[in-house]
């Protein structure tokens, strides 16, 4: 059986990842593909417990290294328990965030040394990497406005200062510049329809690249 491939949706908080992911799932299912949706932090039972600790706004004492290692721990579990088996079954894996978020949030925004990020990420990834990262790019101020419209309470990371979120956004754009083959940036300030149109073009080219019928 042909191996599946993995696409990550990432970017600013409030950029519309969930809506886009649900539409992409419908699109792929309608074409007859077997799709697995997952997310980080989370994705497994253990990962979801780690997510609670990471995002709980009462985790105020969490030091930066703990934060980095918890994201790494969840990722290691996610790959072993869920992602690799799904790819081996020939599924298309769609993850709401993955390792690019650690570079953006923990390095570019939080300021943890790049060498430490690479060390933890490499340990978690153990040579694995997703085929594509689709970055839904949005001005964090607009993103924050959208997040506040949909929920009363902000989680620990959403509640960071605006300049933290701006640094995270720039982190995604920097990664996209550095790795144009595995990162595509989509302007998420456009209408829902045109964001989706841009995303579907990328998905279609991945289907061709990975030689799956469309
Ligand atoms: P979500 O709200 O999109 O599910 O993401 C949860 C938060 O976790 C979001 O603010 C981004 C942050 N995050 C990191 O800081 N590092 C990471 O490695 C990941 C996966 C997420």
């Amino acid at each position: 059986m042909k191996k599946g491939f993995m696409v990550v949706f990432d970017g600013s908080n409030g950029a519309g990842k969930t809506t886009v992911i649900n539409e992409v799932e419908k699109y792929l299912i309608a074409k007859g593909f077997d799709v697995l949706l997952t997310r980080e932090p989370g994705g497994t039972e253990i990962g979801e417990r780690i997510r609670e600790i990471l995002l709980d706004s009462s985790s105020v004492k969490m030091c930066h290294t703990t934060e980095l290692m918890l994201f790494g721990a969840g990722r290691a579990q996610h790959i072993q328990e869920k992602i690799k088996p799904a790819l081996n079954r020939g599924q298309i894996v769609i993850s709401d965030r993955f390792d690019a978020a650690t570079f953006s949030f923990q390095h570019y925004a939080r300021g943890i040394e790049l060498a430490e990020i690479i060390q933890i990420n490499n340990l978690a990834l153990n040579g694995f990497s997703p085929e594509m990262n689709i970055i839904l790019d949005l001005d964090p101020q607009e993103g924050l406005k959208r997040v506040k419209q949909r929920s009363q309470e902000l989680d620990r990371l959403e509640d960071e200062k605006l300049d933290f979120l701006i640094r995270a956004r720039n982190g995604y754009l920097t990664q996209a510049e550095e790795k144009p083959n595995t990162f595509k940036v989509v302007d998420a300030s456009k209408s829902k329809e045109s964001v989706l149109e841009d995303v579907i073009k990328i998905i279609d080219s991945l289907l061709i690249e990975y030689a799956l019928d469309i």
Side-chain angles (χ1 to χ4, degrees):
M1 183 195 286
K2 209 181 265 298
K3 244 180 112 188
F5 64 92
M6 177 168 172
V7 186
V8 177
F9 285 87
D10 217 320
S12 303
N13 295 325
K17 282 183 286 107
T18 310
T19 311
V20 170
I21 287 172
N22 290 335
E23 292 297 327
V24 169
E25 182 192 26
K26 276 193 229 157
Y27 177 78
L28 289 169
I29 288 175
K31 284 187 171 292
F33 291 105
D34 194 357
V35 182
L36 177 89
L37 290 194
T38 188
R39 69 170 180 181
E40 280 203 3
T44 62
E45 225 175 280
I46 292 170
E48 291 295 328
R49 274 149 66 193
I50 293 175
R51 178 186 177 95
E52 274 173 37
I53 301 171
L54 276 165
L55 301 189
D56 191 339
S57 40
S58 68
S59 299
V60 280
K61 288 186 185 156
M62 189 182 296
C63 72
H64 294 176
T65 309
T66 302
E67 179 179 293
L68 172 63
M69 290 171 77
L70 285 178
F71 279 114
R75 185 159 305 132
Q77 186 69 31
H78 196 194
I79 294 169
Q80 286 307 313
E81 184 185 328
K82 198 167 178 186
I83 297 172
K84 278 191 177 165
L87 293 174
N88 289 335
R89 284 193 297 271
Q91 287 185 291
I92 298 177
V93 176
I94 297 182
S95 184
D96 182 338
R97 300 199 191 276
F98 201 62
D99 63 323
T102 306
F103 284 95
S104 285
F105 284 87
Q106 279 63 54
H107 172 59
Y108 289 99
R110 192 69 91 203
I112 301 177
E113 290 289 336
L114 190 58
E116 290 177 25
I117 307 282
I118 291 173
Q119 204 178 1
I120 295 300
N121 249 346
N122 282 353
L123 194 61
L125 293 167
N126 193 19
F128 177 82
S129 84
E131 275 69 20
M132 182 55 71
N133 294 274
I134 300 179
I135 306 303
L136 300 181
D137 178 52
L138 185 67
D139 175 353
Q141 200 150 17
E142 173 60 24
L144 211 50
K145 218 163 72 189
R146 293 191 194 174
V147 170
K148 283 181 181 162
Q149 273 164 5
R150 73 170 183 232
S151 60
Q152 295 297 322
E153 277 190 33
L154 298 180
D155 68 39
R156 192 176 63 89
L157 283 140
E158 287 167 342
D159 206 17
E160 284 286 348
K161 303 262 175 310
L162 188 61
D163 61 331
F164 176 92
L165 301 174
I166 292 171
R167 289 198 298 276
R169 179 208 197 175
N170 291 336
Y172 284 116
L173 297 177
T174 305
Q175 291 182 78
E177 254 176 49
E178 286 171 357
K179 298 173 222 164
N181 292 334
T182 50
F183 280 74
K184 300 282 175 233
V185 178
V186 169
D187 178 357
S189 69
K190 298 199 291 187
S191 71
K192 186 182 145 189
E193 291 71 26
S194 80
V195 170
L196 200 59
E197 204 177 298
D198 290 351
V199 167
I200 293 296
K201 276 188 205 145
I202 301 169
I203 298 289
D204 281 344
S205 63
L206 286 171
L207 292 175
I208 291 167
E209 190 173 340
Y210 293 97
L212 296 162
D213 291 330
I214 52 170

